[in-house]
Amino acid sequence: MLTFGETASAAEVLLSRGKPATASSTESSSYGAAKAVDGKSDTRWASKEGSGAQWLSVDLGSDVPISRVRLSWEDAYAKGYRIEVSPDGASWTKVYSTSAGDGGTDDIGSLATHGRHVRVYASTRGTDYGYSLWEFEVFGGTSGPDTTAPSTPTSPKVTGTTPTGVSLAWTASTDNVGVTGYDILRDGVAVGTSVGTTYTDTGLTTGVSYSYTIRAKDAAGNLSAPSAAVIGTPQGGSSSFTVVAAGDISDPGCTASQECGAQQTARRVEAINPDEVITLGDNQYDTGSLSDYRKYYDTTWGRFKAKTHPAPGNHEYDDSTPEAGYKAYFGDRATPNGTTWYSWDRGGWHFIALDSEQSMSSTSAQLKWLKADLANNTQGCVAAYWHKPLYSSGPQADKVSQTAWQMLYDAHADLILNGHDHLYERYAPQNPKAKADPAGVRELLVGTGGADPYDFESPQPNSEKRVTGSPAVLKLTLTDSTYSGQLVRYDGTQLDSFGPVTCH
């Protein structure tokens, strides 16, 4: 055991924990380089037995001050070795060496150097074996306290569910010194920690949706900003689940005490008792103000708020401050990642909510996000929804979503749900140029949530079913690889049925 320099000071923080590590050789896959920087006392790196000079290196991620290295040797220790630093992992500078190593723990302080890469280069064996380290720890000293927070974790997603649990994953944060772990927040309250980029939350209630955010922390206690929110819903043992969708819902004056469209469809949603609810915009007429949401929508469809994944429509933008009432009423459910476009997963499905009142050009923030979201998706089935339809046999088709359609088509999406026209229309799978295509996307226009109905005009290509005149909701039954649907009138009458259809 060797000790050089001063003992660790309060200003020092551990830099190497969990960072990328490489080695000149390993005895087997059980003794990889990462085992020496994982913080565990029962795992280790071991070089090939009987080998000559060997090395172990750790990448700290950036050029940082380095004040101390601590080596915890297994029985196979180095008698002669040196500590080296490098800015690039190619050119190395020696900062310490010894030829009198005796095993145990070598605590080497007062290094007063810096670098991105640090390695121990073992040149003389202390036994007949190779070299082996339980832990290779690198510490950094600063002239004052570390006050820099880690970067915000990105790309949080639900990777699986059980009847009482939700599994999460995210992309790692970075820090000027080193990330030491992550706090997991459920509905804004910290419920657990993780030293890696995965976590499973347990003890939950089946069918209840929870909002999760992640924040990173470092050894000095600095916390990053919370990540974007992701919704997780524990699922029962069944491999299928139901979603109810509709848009154009609540007229002013329509409350639960009246026999009006929104109350009629709300009773039907209650009877179906779906796992999830999607609204397709123009949820509250005429201006989508918070007071109208509370007086009208909340008394009818507000019963399902806890499992609603909303999208806004043009009437939400007629508020005195566009979307203010919509955002205030739905809260984090309207903007789980800080914008009115977001995504969520359930079972084998990836759902994408977009905002057709915001720019949907190829260079817009919304479609840049959509491109990245589709690239990161790992689910086998994809459904997207927003207010204004690209195709309609009614009066209000709108080309605003042409580019989004193309992106979804290229990503092999299965369904697009819209509102805006107060009617129902089911299309055959088609491409963004309205050509029938078995590998295309099926549009379902469901503007039948309760507002006064519209008439059809000219039937469009690939239109398979058209219904108007009655408040109704779309019931989707989804498995990990299929979808089927029914349009159900407020009195329970089935007006359309399709599927099951296999996802692309």
Side-chain angles (χ1 to χ4, degrees), residues 125-198:
R125 286 178 287 143
T127 70
D128 291 335
Y129 301 101
Y131 304 97
S132 184
L133 281 166
W134 292 110
E135 281 295 301
F136 176 28
E137 297 173 295
V138 179
F139 296 84
T142 61
S143 58
D146 174 21
T147 60
T148 302
S151 65
T152 301
T154 57
S155 303
K157 60 183 178 180
V158 174
T159 58
T161 60
T162 68
T164 58
V166 172
S167 295
L168 306 165
W170 56 92
T171 300
S173 298
T174 59
D175 186 65
N176 65 312
V177 176
V179 175
T180 57
Y182 299 88
D183 291 334
I184 292 81
L185 290 79
R186 182 206 312 141
D187 295 331
V189 178
V191 294
T193 61
S194 174
V195 296
T197 57
T198 61

Side-chain angles (χ1 to χ4, degrees), residues 144-437:
D146 174 21
T147 60
T148 302
S151 65
T152 301
T154 57
S155 303
K157 60 183 178 180
V158 174
T159 58
T161 60
T162 68
T164 58
V166 172
S167 295
L168 306 165
W170 56 92
T171 300
S173 298
T174 59
D175 186 65
N176 65 312
V177 176
V179 175
T180 57
Y182 299 88
D183 291 334
I184 292 81
L185 290 79
R186 182 206 312 141
D187 295 331
V189 178
V191 294
T193 61
S194 174
V195 296
T197 57
T198 61
Y199 182 80
T200 297
D201 190 20
T202 58
L204 307 176
T205 302
T206 302
V208 174
S209 295
Y210 300 91
S211 177
Y212 290 94
T213 54
I214 317 296
R215 65 190 182 198
K217 56 187 177 181
D218 62 21
N222 299 306
L223 295 174
S224 75
S227 70
V230 61
I231 304 298
T233 306
Q235 298 182 51
S238 173
S239 60
S240 68
F241 62 99
T242 57
V243 175
V244 161
D248 307 278
I249 297 170
S250 179
D251 279 326
C254 181
T255 68
S257 63
Q258 297 176 311
E259 192 62 21
C260 51
Q263 170 61 1
Q264 290 176 324
T265 54
R267 283 203 303 265
R268 181 49 41 196
V269 178
E270 279 186 316
I272 295 171
N273 191 25
D275 297 293
E276 310 286 354
V277 173
I278 288 173
T279 66
L280 302 174
D282 285 3
N283 312 304
Q284 176 60 58
Y285 288 85
D286 284 321
T287 65
S289 67
L290 180 58
S291 61
D292 281 355
Y293 262 105
R294 289 172 171 168
K295 283 191 293 185
Y296 308 123
Y297 180 96
D298 192 59
T299 69
T300 57
W301 280 59
R303 300 169 217 170
F304 326 115
K305 185 177 178 181
K307 56 183 174 183
T308 296
H309 305 273
N314 52 290
H315 280 276
E316 273 72 36
Y317 277 78
D318 288 337
D319 199 356
S320 55
T321 300
E323 290 189 308
Y326 167 78
K327 292 178 179 178
Y329 177 75
F330 284 109
D332 287 346
R333 302 199 71 82
T335 57
N337 62 356
T339 64
T340 48
W341 50 90
Y342 60 94
S343 62
W344 54 283
D345 292 341
R346 177 150 187 169
W349 283 80
H350 184 62
F351 296 88
I352 302 168
L354 298 178
D355 186 345
S356 56
E357 299 307 302
Q358 296 281 350
S359 173
M360 299 181 88
S361 71
S362 60
T363 59
S364 66
Q366 181 169 202
L367 289 207
K368 288 180 180 178
W369 171 88
L370 175 61
K371 181 179 180 180
D373 182 81
L374 289 169
N376 290 328
N377 172 49
T378 59
Q379 305 300 94
C381 304
V382 176
Y385 57 98
W386 60 87
H387 187 56
K388 291 180 177 178
L390 179 60
Y391 301 112
S392 175
S393 298
Q396 296 195 119
D398 198 305
K399 298 293 186 183
V400 67
S401 62
Q402 183 85 54
T403 304
W405 246 88
Q406 184 67 56
M407 293 172 67
L408 289 160
Y409 173 80
D410 292 341
H412 310 294
D414 300 281
L415 295 174
I416 289 175
L417 283 65
N418 304 121
H420 200 42
D421 270 342
H422 301 184
L423 45 82
Y424 170 82
E425 188 166 22
R426 168 169 54 86
Y427 283 84
Q430 57 186 332
N431 66 26
K433 303 297 183 183
K435 301 296 183 182
D437 183 350

